[in-house]
Amino acid sequence: MGEDGQLATAGEHPLISAAPEAAGAHTAADHALSADTRRLIADGVPANTRRAYARQWAAFTAWCTTQSRLALPATGATLAEYTAQLCAAGQAPASIEQALAAVRTMHRLSGHPNQPATEAARLALRAYKRHRAENGGRGQREAPPITIDALRAMVAACDLTTPIGLRDRLLLVLGLALMGRRSELVALNREDVREVSDGLEVVIRTSKTDKDSTGETIAIPRGSHPLTDPVAAWRDWLHVLDQAGDATPRLLRRVNRHGSIGPSLGADAVNVIVRDLAVRAGVPSADTITAHSLRAGGATVAYAAGVPVAIIAKHGRWAPTSPVVLRYIRAVDRWRDNAMRNVGL
């Protein structure tokens, strides 16, 4: 409005008058990205996803070169033929799905959205899955969930008189109680865990489904068993760190055979530790146990105890409609709500 109460004209509006009179054509500068900006964009994708997609894209482009085909932009026929080659090589369906996703993602980032067409490739993959099933193959193999009894057996296999044993105990207990991903566990700092009257509050600063890294605080109640009480496990490991006089922020650390505290524990090491303890504890199918078994186990035992699905999904930082949580639930329901239970067989 002008001083006289009338609407200001476009020429009088300060924002409009400050705007350029006409937009010019884009130049190379409008499309340029600095090295720092490129790094930030790349870091916006989880590191594991970047590595996997880079590996898949390199394999695809190498195959295209040998076949005298154009990798970017590729045609739907090229993608279908590549998919058929992966099927012929006996690759797991999940790996082939990842290859398709990597190719499409690279096309989108390179300015070729919705390319290449995937219908033919997915039909080929569907046929491959059916043939595998008919010949005794199975779909994606999932890590079996760790039950509470298995968890206690694995903690009992830890030597709790040593720093390694106390660290491994905390890793196991937090992994199941948090329904934690490997990346979340190894990223924990000491200050991210705080004891309160009811148990522990654990801050997960970022996660797979928290793409904007807003963070979330997860409450873990005190335990009823001395071996697997989260508060006791956290206190005992914190005492080890304090005794070592180590001020490094990371919570879970490497420990050498002499008990000396080292740098942060790596994500791959978590898998090794969990499987080794499962073997030592005599857990069924121990050779198939992974760190994800802790996450799956947390969801499974919670649902078996009557916790609603929505609460499990929120606690485990799954998307509300995640099919993964539903798979864990179905595994419990097929026994709890079995049609043949109590029929007198």
Side-chain angles (χ1 to χ4, degrees), residues 69-95:
R69 290 173 178 261
L70 189 63
L72 188 70
T75 64
T78 290
L79 186 61
E81 190 65 28
Y82 182 63
T83 300
Q85 294 295 316
L86 297 180
C87 294
Q91 288 205 15
S95 179

Side-chain angles (χ1 to χ4, degrees), residues 192-207:
D192 293 335
V193 184
R194 182 170 71 99
E195 183 176 352
V196 295
S197 58
D198 291 328
L200 298 177
E201 289 185 343
V202 183
V203 176
I204 303 296
R205 296 181 181 275
T206 188
S207 66

Side-chain angles (χ1 to χ4, degrees), residues 9 38 60 62 77 108 148 169 236 247 250 281 289:
T9 64
R38 290 180 184 276
F60 175 70
R108 186 180 71 251
I148 296 299
R169 173 199 186 192
D236 289 345
R250 284 286 189 251
I289 293 286

